[in-house]
């Protein structure tokens, strides 16, 4: 009698997934550092454009090397364009924020995104979400207010830009859920870069000569070319790391690790720019991390209960 194939992931795959997620947490803040350095002399729209153009160029050879098909069924194109537009908006808002805000403060506000996904899932998609997780989401929003309040006092309305990133990225995650099992990750990344580039480039063309600090492109100096290239390279590498990590290890294992990105961004922000969150922001960051980890804990408890109920013999 043959042994039944195991349904669990091999330990080495899980360890590789964990290693890739750690790589994401250290690489993603490098994207933010490069964008903030470039923003001293380059408009936000131009940095955003560079991020997607470089991603598209980097992913194209992998399409050929891996012999992947570029064909996408017609019914998926609407979601594909929406995904790229949401990521473009999220990226633009975040770069506009970190141009003046400390990295850690802006990123902490963006971490309200899992709470938005949860609430949209409950009240719009009709997903089963218990009162404890809804309560944790509300507390998480309070933590975000702790970070926004001092930032708003210092930087004005720009402190609200990371909220735009969080909302757009929450819907980006929801759209990605529907596409992730239908389109190969590399093909998905390539088309995201291509479509977002096609959105960005006309905006930059019409913005030329307008005098806008956000959209009027300028010719970069030698070192700024490095920062612009770094934005695209680190964005592509970090997102591919996260994509493949999720394919190798359970999301319940990897999700808590994503909060490591916050202390890493804090360290990078202090080392490169001398920025450090004030006391009120530190309290808010602590609340956001704590409630986020609690939500992940509740997800695990709920998943275990479902497994136990399904495994229980009928009465």
């Amino acid at each position: 009698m043959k042994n039944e194939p195991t349904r669990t992931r091999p330990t080495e795959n899980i360890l590789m997934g964990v290693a890739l997620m750690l790589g994401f947490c250290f690489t993603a803040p490098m994207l933010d550092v490069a964008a903030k350095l470039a923003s001293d002399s380059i408009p936000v729209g131009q940095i955003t454009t560079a991020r997607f153009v470089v991603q598209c160029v980097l992913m194209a050879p992998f399409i050929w090397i891996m012999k992947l098909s570029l064909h996408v069924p017609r019914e998926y194109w609407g979601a594909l364009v929406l995904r790229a537009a949401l990521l473009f908006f999220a990226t633009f808002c975040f770069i506009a924020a970190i141009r003046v805000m400390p990295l850690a403060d802006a990123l902490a506000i963006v971490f309200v995104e899992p709470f938005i996904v949860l609430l949209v899932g409950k009240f719009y998609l009709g997903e089963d979400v218990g009162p404890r997780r809804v309560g944790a989401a509300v507390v998480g929003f309070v933590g975000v207010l702790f970070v926004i309040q001092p930032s708003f006092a210092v930087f004005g309305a720009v402190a609200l830009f990371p909220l735009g990133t969080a909302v757009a990225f929450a819907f980006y995650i929801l759209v990605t859920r529907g596409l992730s099992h239908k389109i190969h990750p590399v093909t998905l990344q390539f088309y995201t870069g291509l479509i977002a580039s096609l959105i960005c480039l006309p905006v930059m063309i019409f913005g030329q000569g307008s005098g806008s600090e956000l959209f009027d492109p300028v010719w970069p100096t030698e070192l700024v070319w490095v920062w612009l290239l770094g934005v695209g390279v680190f964005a592509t590498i970090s997102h591919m790391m996260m994509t493949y990590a999720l394919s190798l290890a359970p999301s319940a294992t990897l999700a808590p690790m994503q909060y490591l990105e916050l202390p890493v961004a804090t360290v990078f922000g202090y080392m490169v720019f001398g920025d450090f969150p004030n006391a009120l922001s530190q309290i808010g960051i602590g609340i956001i991390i704590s409630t986020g980890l609690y939500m992940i804990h509740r997800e695990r408890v709920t998943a275990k209960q479902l497994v136990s109920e399904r495994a229980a013999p009928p009465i």
Side-chain angles (χ1 to χ4, degrees):
M1 182 175 177
K2 293 183 179 179
N3 293 328
E4 292 185 7
T6 179
R7 293 179 180 272
T8 59
R9 290 182 173 92
T11 303
E12 58 270 21
N13 282 0
I14 294 177
L15 290 175
M16 179 58 72
V18 169
L20 287 170
M21 197 64 183
L22 285 172
F24 166 82
C25 291
F26 281 92
T27 308
M30 294 183 185
L31 150 66
D32 303 335
V33 169
K36 189 173 177 69
L37 288 168
S39 68
D40 285 340
S41 57
I42 301 295
V44 174
Q46 190 172 350
I47 300 171
T48 306
T49 303
R51 178 251 190 272
F52 290 110
V53 169
V54 172
Q55 174 178 322
C56 183
V57 171
L58 288 177
M59 298 313 299
F62 287 96
I63 297 286
W64 178 72
I65 293 169
M66 299 172 72
K67 298 182 173 151
L68 299 173
S69 173
L70 287 175
H71 173 72
V72 173
R74 184 178 299 176
E75 60 267 27
Y76 299 153
W77 273 102
L80 201 58
V81 171
L82 177 60
R83 181 180 187 268
L86 288 168
L87 188 57
F88 158 74
F89 184 77
T91 303
F92 181 89
C93 286
F94 189 71
I95 296 174
I98 63 173
R99 186 170 65 131
V100 295
M101 289 178 64
L103 296 180
D105 290 35
L107 189 60
I109 297 170
V110 172
F111 265 93
V112 76
E113 169 263 318
F115 310 140
I116 297 173
V117 171
L118 181 143
L119 295 176
V120 170
K122 177 176 177 60
F123 295 109
Y124 182 71
L125 301 178
E127 296 178 352
D128 185 18
V129 179
R132 293 181 182 179
R133 280 182 286 171
V134 172
V138 173
V139 174
F141 277 109
V142 173
V144 169
L145 293 177
F146 271 84
V147 181
I148 288 179
Q149 193 277 328
S151 298
F152 190 86
V154 176
F155 305 114
V158 73
L160 301 177
F161 278 27
L163 278 180
T165 296
V167 172
F169 201 74
F171 284 96
Y172 166 85
I173 292 295
L174 293 171
V175 173
T176 300
R177 284 181 183 176
L179 291 173
S180 59
H181 298 295
K182 299 168 183 174
I183 303 175
H184 192 280
V186 174
T187 305
L188 195 59
Q189 290 288 83
F190 170 75
Y191 273 122
T192 298
L194 178 62
I195 295 169
S197 297
L198 294 176
I199 294 172
C200 294
L201 289 171
V203 174
M204 298 308 299
I205 291 172
F206 283 111
Q208 189 168 13
S210 65
S212 169
E213 292 183 359
L214 297 178
F215 298 109
D216 191 358
V218 300
W219 191 256
T221 58
E222 291 84 352
L223 191 58
V224 176
W225 282 108
V226 177
W227 306 140
L228 289 176
L229 181 63
V231 169
V233 169
F234 290 131
T236 304
I237 293 174
S238 61
H239 279 264
M240 286 307 298
M241 279 184 173
M242 183 171 63
T243 300
Y244 277 103
L246 290 168
S247 70
L248 293 171
S251 58
T253 301
L254 300 177
M257 299 174 60
Q258 189 173 356
Y259 285 92
L260 179 62
E261 188 182 352
L262 261 174
V264 172
T266 302
V267 171
F268 283 176
Y270 180 72
M271 291 175 60
V272 180
F273 306 105
D275 294 332
F276 198 80
N278 61 26
L280 201 57
S281 294
Q282 290 177 41
I283 293 172
I285 290 171
I287 292 173
I288 293 166
I289 293 176
S290 299
T291 51
L293 293 176
Y294 177 76
M295 282 174 52
I296 293 166
H297 165 69
R298 291 304 308 169
E299 291 280 358
R300 288 177 171 177
V301 170
T302 304
K304 286 180 181 178
Q305 289 174 346
L306 289 173
V307 170
S308 299
E309 290 172 4
R310 290 170 182 169
I315 297 175

